[in-house]
């Protein structure tokens, strides 16, 4: 049933007369042609010529404080804008610093192009400063593999046309694309021909309509549920129409929140880390014959590989990546469909009989908004913070919301409700602390909109780009869950019956934000939440709210700790 894609590339006509420019300018010209609008990075002598070339191009260059921050910001700028984003680094530590952010880009499916400096050929092996080459770095950094879809060292300007073509194809194809172009310092200013204009793009011709015709009778024959993931974010309207037409109940992954409205009568709940019990409860009590999986890998962060989620007749698993269906649940019956989800869902809709909703909302324990009830005195309960964010940020504004690895993403995924796609970002697979604290700057820069990061104090200390946000006027907001702990670790250790010190000396983040040029306020009780959020959302510059969090409220991470216990951690 798995159908391969046919990719048809539109090839450009040869240029009439090549113009000689520097190799750095020519590479930057390629970036602009393939739609890059932002370049984030940290400079250095090794990349000076490229940095200058970026600066005189139409691309907006933002100088960051850490390369990982630049890469996290690039990842989020891609998701917020849809455009590919460049990350630039110098040689040696500049390159290695960027790697965690690039791992996040790869795991989350962003389109990010890293351009790093490397040592010129004639200097390699001679103890050059920050020598950077296949001999001094892991060779895999320069090869396509687990981190990069494409990676190469430019050894001569003759390499450029092929690289330009590969980049154009990579950014045009569905799904993520993380590339690494290493540029020897000595080559950057060399003369070369400007590559052809109009690099074109790849088009995907798929067999979705035929596949939908094959699947429709299978789904029509039995009650089924829909399990949505981040890969379905471009298909929200089609998926909603399909669910309403067929009456199918819907669950989603944490990254899929908002693709189907979370307050819809057919929405059951969120699965995975920080999610709800309702989907597994629904599977056990309603026993749908099949689950139509759209755009989620069903990995640990989405499913915890819970056997309760496997329907008797198995999954019909649709994904643009043919390697995905069947991989997370290898023993479950799975019909693998490699298709574009929007096209497939539309084709399926045309072929499915209409049905009334299979179950009504009151038949399962439905996730509700955090109940703020009356305001408590003393430190702020995270549930009350989430309720205030729902009212003061999500319901009132169109701001993007990012939730950081740690208790932040558990509270946010569990309690916040989204009604449209593209408003909630969480990284459940890579889950690097610092991703949102820095990434929020990229979201804000790429859109000009407000972007709000919900982050722990530990993550904020690991990586924040407040000072970068000040420099470039990013409308970023940080809401810091300040509990003087790596609290996810502390609560996890307690749950697993182990003991270790996860404390952090208390930090005044409002003062820290002000010291870096942003606005910063302290919230020490629940009554102060709403005014602080209102001020943050109307401010024109970067803004930090330092929330004195009650550390003893246990975050909804039960399933994660159950998973660790099953692995023999305790
Ligand atoms: C780069 C990185 N290092 C370590 C971890 C493991 N880790 C996950 S959550 C966490 C603690 C988070 O603490 P904090 O940011 O203060 O948030 P809290 O859970 O207290 O709200 C750690 C260390 C990680 N996810 N990423």
């Amino acid at each position: 049933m798995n159908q391969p894609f046919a990719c048809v590339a539109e090839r450009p006509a040869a240029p009439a007369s090549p113009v000689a420019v520097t190799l750095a300018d020519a590479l930057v010209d390629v970036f602009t042609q393939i739609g890059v609008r932002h370049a984030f990075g940290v400079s250095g002598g090794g990349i000076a010529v490229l940095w200058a070339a970026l600066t005189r191009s139409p691309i907006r260059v933002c100088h960051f404080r850490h390369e990982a921050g630049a890469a996290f910001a690039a990842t989020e700028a891609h998701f917020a804008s849809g455009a590919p984003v460049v990350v630039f680094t110098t040689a040696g530590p500049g390159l290695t610093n960027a790697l965690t952010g690039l791992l996040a880009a790869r795991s989350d499916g962003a389109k990010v192009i890293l351009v790093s400096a490397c040592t010129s050929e004639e200097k390699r092996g001679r103890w050059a400063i920050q020598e950077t080459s296949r001999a001094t770095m892991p060779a895999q950094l320069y090869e396509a593999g687990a981190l990069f879809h494409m990676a190469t060292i430019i050894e001569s300007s003759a390499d450029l046309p092929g690289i330009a073509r590969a980049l154009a194809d990579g950014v045009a194809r569905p799904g993520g694309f993380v590339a690494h172009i290493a540029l020897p310092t000595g080559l950057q200013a060399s003369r070369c021909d400007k590559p052809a204009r109009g690099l074109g793009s790849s088009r995907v011709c798929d067999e979705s309509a035929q596949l939908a015709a094959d699947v429709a009778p299978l789904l029509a024959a039995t009650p089924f549920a829909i399990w949505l993931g981040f890969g379905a974010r471009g298909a929200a309207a089609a998926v909603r129409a399909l669910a309403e037409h067929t009456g199918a109940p819907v669950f989603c992954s944490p990254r899929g929140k908002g693709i189907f409205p979370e307050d819809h009568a057919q929405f059951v709940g969120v699965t995975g880390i920080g999610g709800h019990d309702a989907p597994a409860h629904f599977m056990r009590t309603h026993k749908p014959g099949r689950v139509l999986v759209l755009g989620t890998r069903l990995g640990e962060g989405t499913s915890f590989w819970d056997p309760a989620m496997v329907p008797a007749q198995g999954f019909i698993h649709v994904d643009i990546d043919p390697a995905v269906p069947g991989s997370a649940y290898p023993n479950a019956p799975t019909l693998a469909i490699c298709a574009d989800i929007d096209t497939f869902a539309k084709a399926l809709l045309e072929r499915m009989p209409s049905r009334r909703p299979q179950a009504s909302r009151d038949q399962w324990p439905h996730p509700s908004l955090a109940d703020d009830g009356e305001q408590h005195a003393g430190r702020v309960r995270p549930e009350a913070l989430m309720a205030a964010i729902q009212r003061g940020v999500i319901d009132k504004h169109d701001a993007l919301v990012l939730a950081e690895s740690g208790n932040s993403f558990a509270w946010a995924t569990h309690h916040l409700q989204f009604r449209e796609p593209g408003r909630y970002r969480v990284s459940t697979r890579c889950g690097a602390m610092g991703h949102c604290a820095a990434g929020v700057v990229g979201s804000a820069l790429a859109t000009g909109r407000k972007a709000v990061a919900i982050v722990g104090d530990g993550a904020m200390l690991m990586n924040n780009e407040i000072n970068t946000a000040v420099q470039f006027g990013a409308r970023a907001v940080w809401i810091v869950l300040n509990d003087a702990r790596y609290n996810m670790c502390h609560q996890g250790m307690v749950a697993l019956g182990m003991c270790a010190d996860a404390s952090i000396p208390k930090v005044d983040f409002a003062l820290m934000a002000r010291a870096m040029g942003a606005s910063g306020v302290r919230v020490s009780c629940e009554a102060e939440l709403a005014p602080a959020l209102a001020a943050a959302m109307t401010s024109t510059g970067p803004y930090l709210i330092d929330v004195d969090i009650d550390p003893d409220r246990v975050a909804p991470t039960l399933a994660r700790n159950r998973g660790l216990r099953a692995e023999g951690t305790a």
Side-chain angles (χ1 to χ4, degrees):
M1 200 88 219
N2 234 339
Q3 297 288 327
F5 283 92
C7 289
V8 183
E10 291 173 348
R11 300 283 160 190
S17 54
V19 183
V21 293
T22 68
L23 180 60
D25 284 307
L27 183 60
V28 170
D29 192 61
V30 170
F31 294 155
T32 56
Q33 283 193 60
I34 62 174
V36 172
R37 300 200 292 266
H38 290 86
F40 301 156
V42 182
S43 64
I47 201 75
V49 174
L50 182 95
W51 181 31
L54 281 168
T55 302
R56 57 180 170 262
S57 80
I59 293 172
R60 187 175 186 200
V61 181
C62 298
H63 212 187
F64 273 62
R65 305 298 166 260
H66 192 290
E67 291 84 351
F72 289 134
T75 299
E76 294 311 318
H78 165 72
F79 286 125
S81 68
V85 182
V86 160
V87 173
F88 60 95
T89 75
T90 194
L95 168 60
T96 54
N97 262 0
L99 296 180
T100 308
L102 296 161
L103 179 68
R106 176 73 191 243
S107 303
D108 280 7
K111 289 191 159 94
V112 171
I113 301 164
L114 166 70
V115 54
S116 73
C118 77
T119 304
S120 308
E121 204 176 0
E122 67 279 8
K123 292 186 176 172
R124 293 178 202 159
R126 298 170 56 205
W127 312 108
I129 293 169
Q130 296 180 335
E131 180 171 341
T132 306
S133 68
R134 284 193 181 88
T136 62
M137 289 279 151
Q140 293 88 338
L141 292 182
Y142 303 102
E143 295 160 6
L147 189 54
F148 299 113
H149 293 95
M150 171 215 161
T152 190
I153 300 178
I154 300 187
E155 298 291 14
S156 120
S157 58
D159 297 344
L160 193 59
I163 289 169
R165 165 59 45 205
L167 291 176
D169 287 349
V171 299
R173 74 181 184 210
F177 178 67
V178 181
H180 178 198
I181 311 297
L183 198 50
T185 304
L187 267 189
Q188 292 171 28
S190 64
R191 307 305 287 178
C192 82
D193 292 341
K194 208 168 172 177
R197 278 263 144 208
L199 281 165
S201 63
S202 299
R203 264 183 296 155
V204 175
C205 307
D206 71 24
E207 312 281 339
S208 300
Q210 183 50 48
L211 293 167
D214 295 342
V215 164
L218 303 177
L219 290 175
T222 182
F224 71 96
I226 297 175
W227 198 348
L228 286 177
F230 193 54
R233 64 194 181 282
V239 168
R240 180 172 182 167
L242 179 66
E244 289 178 345
H245 180 72
T246 59
V250 179
F251 357 113
C252 73
S253 69
R255 296 201 305 154
K257 276 168 78 74
I259 296 171
F260 190 77
E262 291 190 78
D263 57 355
H264 194 285
Q266 286 170 246
F267 186 68
V268 181
V270 182
T271 61
I273 193 151
H276 308 122
D277 293 335
H281 178 84
F282 180 90
M283 291 297 292
R284 277 192 290 267
T285 52
H286 288 73
K287 300 189 176 14
R290 293 186 190 269
V291 172
L292 176 63
V293 181
L294 300 176
T296 159
R297 294 177 281 220
L298 298 184
E300 186 176 16
T302 289
S303 70
F304 290 106
W305 307 300
D306 183 352
M309 298 304 290
V310 181
Q313 294 171 54
F315 297 117
I316 295 179
H317 195 154
V318 188
D319 204 281
I320 198 75
D321 180 351
V324 164
S327 53
Y329 281 94
N331 296 322
T334 299
L335 186 58
I337 308 279
C338 184
D340 169 72
I341 290 169
D342 192 49
T343 317
F344 181 83
K346 284 177 182 152
L348 196 55
L349 177 65
E350 284 172 17
R351 290 161 178 80
M352 288 293 294
S354 167
R355 279 209 199 117
R356 286 149 57 99
Q358 289 163 31
S360 73
R361 201 176 162 85
D362 51 17
Q363 287 181 281
W364 55 83
H366 202 270
S368 57
L369 282 176
D371 177 18
D372 49 339
E374 59 194 56
Q375 283 164 351
H376 285 210
R379 302 171 97 178
V380 176
R381 294 165 301 142
E383 307 93 308
L385 172 61
M386 295 304 135
I389 293 172
Q390 182 74 42
R391 278 195 315 273
V393 175
I394 298 166
D395 297 346
K396 261 202 202 135
H397 300 270
D398 69 349
L400 302 164
V401 177
L402 299 85
E404 188 75 280
S405 177
N407 279 356
S408 295
F409 72 5
W411 289 116
T413 294
H414 199 82
H415 286 297
L416 300 181
Q417 276 194 354
F418 294 87
R419 296 174 196 94
E420 57 277 303
R423 285 206 57 193
Y424 184 59
R425 278 285 301 137
V426 58
S427 170
T428 47
R429 186 165 170 225
C430 179
M433 290 163 69
H435 181 142
C436 297
V440 68
V441 180
S443 316
L445 286 173
T447 59
R449 282 162 60 187
K450 281 268 177 203
V452 177
I454 305 170
V455 297
D457 44 358
M460 201 67 195
L461 290 170
M462 189 176 281
N463 202 336
N464 74 72
E465 292 284 344
I466 296 175
N467 190 245
T468 311
V470 170
Q471 182 173 5
F472 298 104
R475 300 176 69 209
V477 175
W478 292 264
I479 300 174
V480 183
L481 277 67
N482 191 347
D483 50 18
R485 267 186 197 162
Y486 290 125
N487 212 7
M488 175 171 262
C489 300
H490 172 83
Q491 294 183 349
M493 294 295 274
V494 171
L496 296 170
M498 293 190 281
C499 185
D501 181 11
S503 62
I504 303 173
K506 190 91 173 178
V507 174
D508 185 338
F509 286 97
L511 184 61
M512 182 175 112
R514 289 198 296 273
M516 289 203 253
S519 304
V521 295
R522 195 90 206 275
V523 163
S524 48
C525 67
E526 292 173 12
E528 293 170 5
L529 279 172
L533 287 167
M537 296 310 290
T538 50
S539 84
T540 50
Y543 203 103
L544 184 145
I545 305 177
D546 183 4
V547 186
D548 192 15
I549 282 288
D550 178 349
D552 298 327
R553 307 293 295 186
V554 179
T557 49
L558 191 68
R560 166 71 174 148
N561 294 328
R562 225 185 276 135
L564 286 171
R565 200 172 288 120
E567 269 184 73
T569 303

